[in-house]
Amino acid sequence: MSALFSSLTLRDVTLRNRIGVSPMCQYSAVDGLANDWHFVHLGGFASGGAALVFTEATGVLPEGRISPACLGIWSDEQVPMLRHITQFIEARGAVAGIQLAHAGRKASTKRPWDGGGAVAIADGGWPVKGPSAIPFADNYPQPETMSLDDIGHVITAFADGARRAVAAGFKVAELHAAHGYLLHQFLSPLANTRTDAYGGSFAHRIRLLCEVAQAVRAVWPDGWPLVVRISATDWAEGGWNVDESVQLCARLATLGVDLIDVSSGGLAAHQQITIGPGYQVPFASRIRREASVRTAAVGLITEAPQAEAIVARGDADMVLLARELLRNPHWPLEAAHALGEPGPWPDQYVRARKR
């Protein structure tokens, strides 16, 4: 039997296979509200055979969005359309997951196809805050240093967002602590130069993420899994590194985190990444072994035998795909055929299944 197409149980939630959809920003919302684009985009992955379908980074506060066009979960008004989406995903046999996020110093930026960089206040942007007054890059907003009250407000917002996510029908919650966004900013000495209880030592730099995990776990149903996405390394001298990631993930496991989604980079504009097929898989493998926590592998995973080997070797418990699924939302069905498995074909599409 294929390891990739075996089920995976996290708490009381069982995934039909080991293939998930990575969170991918769509920059297509208005006032944080999901719409038909999100319904078709996310629903298509469920029909295509994926087991776990994550939303894009979903802002727990309006000022926590990456761009003015990003999804939000800070208002009850945002729940009904999200619930419509999760109901369809579940009806197709997949599990709906939400990525709860705050962009911190990387907020208030333009959509990629609009050129990126800061959105001016006059054009709908907003003042941004981060752990320290260090901008991500010259064309990004200048952040204000967060106060302790600001930090407490963010922790509460993550918990409130999780409550709304329950109402919206999500069964998996992921905290976005990767790619240079707020929770990652607190982890890295390159973005966090604070001298209080949230900066300096390793224990202080991981404090915010740990407190957010505890706050979300307290309101998230006991039978549903909590995931954290991390950047295992900043790929920059003096930044967050893999050794620290192992220590962090061992700590998160004690706080009720069930799986670590292991990515990398995004914190430093001067990062130097060595890219190749499956280049981040060794990070997921090491964290899985040394921190004794389940992991998901991501990054240039494109072929069925490659994904099968990752799971079969025990490098990770599942794989999350992004761009490959944008190219082919039915990749899981094709992978099943390649591996000699029947695959979770929708009844409406069975006539197209290869024999």
Side-chain angles (χ1 to χ4, degrees):
M1 179 178 180
S2 163
L4 187 64
F5 283 90
S6 64
S7 62
L8 174 65
T9 298
L10 301 169
R11 296 196 180 229
D12 295 341
V13 174
T14 297
L15 306 179
R16 61 188 175 186
N17 57 52
R18 308 295 183 101
I19 304 168
V21 181
S22 266
M24 290 180 279
C25 289
Q26 297 299 292
Y27 306 104
S28 300
V30 176
D31 296 327
L33 294 163
N35 54 46
D36 287 347
W37 176 266
H38 302 92
F39 181 88
V40 173
H41 169 70
L42 296 169
F45 296 132
S47 297
L52 175 60
V53 180
F54 276 118
T55 67
E56 64 193 79
T58 306
V60 297
L61 289 167
E63 63 269 26
R65 290 171 294 168
I66 300 167
S67 81
C70 289
L71 277 184
I73 193 73
W74 67 80
S75 167
D76 291 346
E77 294 178 0
Q78 293 156 344
V79 169
M81 186 60 177
L82 290 173
R83 183 158 189 82
H84 181 50
I85 293 169
T86 63
Q87 287 174 335
F88 181 85
I89 290 172
E90 282 207 358
R92 295 270 47 88
V95 174
I98 185 169
Q99 187 185 64
L100 302 172
H102 191 298
R105 70 177 186 172
K106 292 179 80 173
S108 189
T109 57
K110 299 175 185 176
R111 299 178 300 183
W113 55 83
D114 291 330
V119 177
I121 303 298
D123 295 329
W126 55 88
V128 306
K129 296 183 179 183
S132 302
I134 305 171
F136 172 68
D138 291 343
N139 63 334
Y140 272 66
Q142 172 63 47
E144 176 187 337
T145 300
M146 294 175 68
S147 68
L148 294 179
D149 285 343
D150 291 331
I151 290 172
H153 183 50
V154 164
I155 295 169
T156 298
F158 269 95
D160 289 344
R163 290 190 187 94
R164 291 190 182 96
V166 172
F170 292 98
K171 296 288 178 64
V172 177
E174 176 174 274
L175 306 180
H176 196 358
H179 301 161
Y181 298 115
L182 184 67
L183 298 180
H184 182 189
Q185 291 162 27
F186 271 85
L187 296 177
S188 176
L190 297 178
N192 181 356
T193 59
R194 302 174 72 97
T195 57
D196 62 6
Y198 289 92
S201 69
F202 170 81
H204 286 179
R205 285 183 283 115
I206 71 169
R207 180 177 176 180
L208 178 58
L209 174 53
C210 290
E211 289 182 347
V212 168
Q214 288 175 297
V216 170
R217 184 75 268 178
V219 302
W220 197 245
D222 288 342
W224 295 356
L226 177 61
V227 178
V228 174
R229 168 165 270 197
I230 68 164
S231 282
T233 174
D234 287 342
W235 297 100
E237 186 176 353
W240 181 258
N241 60 54
V242 183
D243 292 339
E244 290 177 311
S245 289
V246 172
Q247 294 179 63
L248 168 66
C249 294
R251 171 66 176 148
L252 291 173
T254 71
L255 301 178
V257 172
D258 303 289
L259 182 137
I260 306 295
D261 174 0
V262 186
S263 189
S264 69
L267 188 285
H270 61 281
Q271 65 188 11
Q272 296 293 319
I273 304 179
T274 303
I275 292 180
Y279 70 104
Q280 296 173 141
V281 173
F283 303 144
S285 180
R286 182 177 169 192
I287 288 169
R288 187 176 188 268
R289 294 192 317 270
E290 297 183 20
S292 299
V293 63
R294 285 171 163 155
T295 63
V298 305
L300 292 183
I301 299 169
T302 60
E303 303 293 336
Q306 176 194 20
E308 172 73 15
I310 289 168
V311 177
R313 287 193 307 259
D315 288 334
D317 295 275
M318 64 182 303
V319 297
L320 300 181
L321 279 65
R323 289 178 176 85
E324 190 63 23
L325 284 172
L326 293 182
R327 289 186 281 265
N328 181 5
H330 297 100
W331 186 93
L333 300 179
E334 293 188 0
H337 176 74
L339 297 172
E341 294 288 332
W345 281 80
D347 292 340
Q348 297 91 332
Y349 289 178
V350 167
R351 74 187 76 175
R353 184 168 61 192
K354 297 176 182 178
R355 302 296 179 182

